[in-house]
Amino acid sequence: MSFRSSALLVTALLLPLSIASGRAMPHAQRPAPDTSLYQPRTLGSADLAHDLALLRQSLEQVHAGYDRYVPRRVMDTAFARLERRATTPMTDIAFYREVALLLAKIRCNHTKAEYPAALQQYRETHDTHLPFRVRIFGKRIFVDTSASTTMAHGTEIVSINGVTADSIIVKLSRFAAVDGFTDFARTTLLERDSDLTGSDLDHYWPIELGFAKTWNVETIDTSGKHSTSTLAPISYTAWKSLDGDTAPLDFANGTHLTVRRDASAVLTIRSFVNYRTPVNADSLYRSLFAQLRTRHVKHLVIDLRDNGGGSDDASNALLPYLTDVPVQPVN
């Protein structure tokens, strides 16, 4: 089901933000990107009010878990704040930023806003992405794969364009739409969320921190050497082509078993998403636990640190292998 207005197309799960041009009104808004890179469109208060009303109506009437994790009064307050903010004109980027932060409060990974059409087209046709993909551990960022020969796998990123790694994580994690209270999954979404235009780090960078003509990256390589590199942005297509451990995570490709020599093993399940490339969850677990018996493993560690949830069948099928007590999942 969808509801269309002049500025916003709202769907039940993923929300494509298709902001119309509105009337040109000179008004500085946050964020203020380099207009030589992208020319923000300014939206009048009437358009903003109409779109917010439509957004709120669609979420309240269609979203099955709108107030499942957050009290309705919290969302009412968030909408009231944005409605007051929208009484004056806003740019499409500023409005998108506010809507994205509001939707993140719902705590549903299926509920997020796509770019306005003009911004989406710009990012698909111009070189605006970081020339590497990353892994995040705590408050530290490391290069996974890179388009630059100066940025090897394992290189630590200290700062990008003067913004420290810990600040990048804090600022952009607020936009990550996690399921329920799986806040630990925010950094995973920054690394590799594939629903939007790149990872959440790449997708939300220009919204929060502005577009960049160049990337000035302060790094520490694996030998401990500090250096600074000036790198050119790459296209979205080039970014998607980067190989490495940043492909969209599914239950099938995110589950693996490592058996150690001391009769212990680690079962890593990085995602329970089992609807993009579905597999029989019970069959997968049966095979893995058969290996544990064959290898006489006595101690098993189940690593769910990167797991942000997904499909009930993938998580529920694990339970019978962990306990002899019958378990009845409750929806």
Side-chain angles (χ1 to χ4, degrees):
M1 181 179 296
S2 64
F3 306 86
R4 181 178 294 276
S5 73
S6 61
L8 185 66
L9 175 62
V10 181
T11 60
L13 295 179
L14 196 63
L15 307 174
L17 195 64
S18 304
I19 300 175
S21 60
R23 295 184 297 274
M25 299 181 183
H27 190 85
Q29 299 291 343
R30 184 185 185 277
D34 186 335
T35 56
S36 66
L37 298 177
Y38 174 73
Q39 196 71 246
R41 301 178 176 189
T42 303
L43 306 172
S45 57
D47 286 335
L48 296 171
H50 181 264
D51 290 345
L52 283 174
L54 185 59
L55 173 62
R56 186 170 187 172
Q57 177 191 36
S58 62
L59 289 170
E60 292 179 346
Q61 294 182 0
V62 176
H63 199 292
Y66 178 60
D67 55 1
R68 177 178 298 166
Y69 300 109
V70 179
R72 182 67 62 101
R73 56 181 170 78
V74 173
M75 295 307 300
D76 289 344
T77 299
F79 265 106
R81 172 190 166 277
L82 184 49
E83 287 161 357
R84 289 193 299 271
R85 171 70 181 83
T87 57
T88 57
M90 301 174 69
T91 65
D92 54 357
I93 289 182
F95 185 46
Y96 178 84
R97 175 183 181 275
E98 296 295 334
V99 169
L101 289 172
L102 184 148
L103 293 177
K105 293 181 182 295
I106 298 174
R107 293 181 172 270
C108 173
N109 186 247
H110 293 285
T111 306
K112 57 192 73 173
E114 294 179 347
Y115 281 147
L119 181 56
Q120 181 70 30
Q121 181 181 23
Y122 182 87
R123 294 218 70 189
E124 290 179 352
T125 57
H126 291 75
D127 294 349
T128 61
H129 279 65
L130 288 161
F132 46 79
R133 297 194 188 191
V134 304
R135 293 299 312 272
I136 298 175
F137 300 93
K139 298 298 182 183
R140 302 170 70 184
I141 302 176
F142 295 84
V143 173
D144 188 2
T145 56
S146 175
S148 170
T149 57
T150 64
M151 303 282 284
H153 174 80
T155 298
E156 181 172 4
I157 297 174
V158 178
S159 69
I160 302 175
N161 287 358
V163 186
T164 60
D166 59 339
S167 293
I168 292 170
I169 295 168
V170 169
K171 289 176 182 291
L172 300 185
S173 288
R174 297 180 302 152
F175 294 90
V178 297
D179 284 322
F181 297 102
T182 57
D183 292 277
F184 56 84
R186 292 183 186 276
T187 52
T188 300
L189 295 174
L190 289 183
E191 294 175 347
R192 65 192 49 162
D193 187 9
S194 60
D195 288 338
L196 301 171
T197 312
S199 66
D200 279 10
L201 188 153
D202 272 281
H203 183 85
Y204 291 113
W205 181 288
I207 303 304
E208 180 69 11
L209 298 169
F211 283 97
K213 292 181 177 179
T214 57
W215 299 109
N216 297 308
V217 187
E218 183 183 357
T219 59
I220 303 174
D221 67 19
T222 53
S223 68
K225 179 182 177 181
H226 290 248
S227 61
T228 301
S229 302
T230 300
L231 306 173
I234 62 174
S235 68
Y236 181 38
T237 299
W239 183 90
K240 289 190 292 184
S241 71
L242 290 176
D243 295 326
D245 189 22
T246 50
L249 276 177
D250 289 317
F251 172 59
N253 66 18
T255 301
H256 63 270
L257 180 67
T258 303
V259 179
R260 305 184 185 279
R261 294 182 178 179
D262 58 354
S264 66
V266 178
L267 174 59
T268 302
I269 310 173
R270 301 181 61 197
S271 175
F272 285 130
V273 172
N274 197 29
Y275 47 81
R276 285 192 289 255
T277 53
V279 298
N280 186 297
D282 181 68
S283 295
L284 178 58
Y285 289 131
R286 188 183 308 118
S287 172
L288 295 175
F289 279 83
Q291 293 180 50
L292 295 178
R293 289 190 295 272
T294 300
R295 302 285 293 273
H296 304 291
V297 170
K298 296 181 179 179
H299 308 286
L300 175 65
V301 175
I302 299 178
D303 185 353
L304 302 175
R305 288 175 295 176
D306 284 344
N307 197 312
S311 309
D312 289 343
D313 66 307
S315 55
N316 291 344
L318 176 63
L319 298 178
Y321 293 91
L322 304 180
T323 178
D324 294 328
V325 178
V327 176
Q328 180 62 47
V330 178
N331 292 328

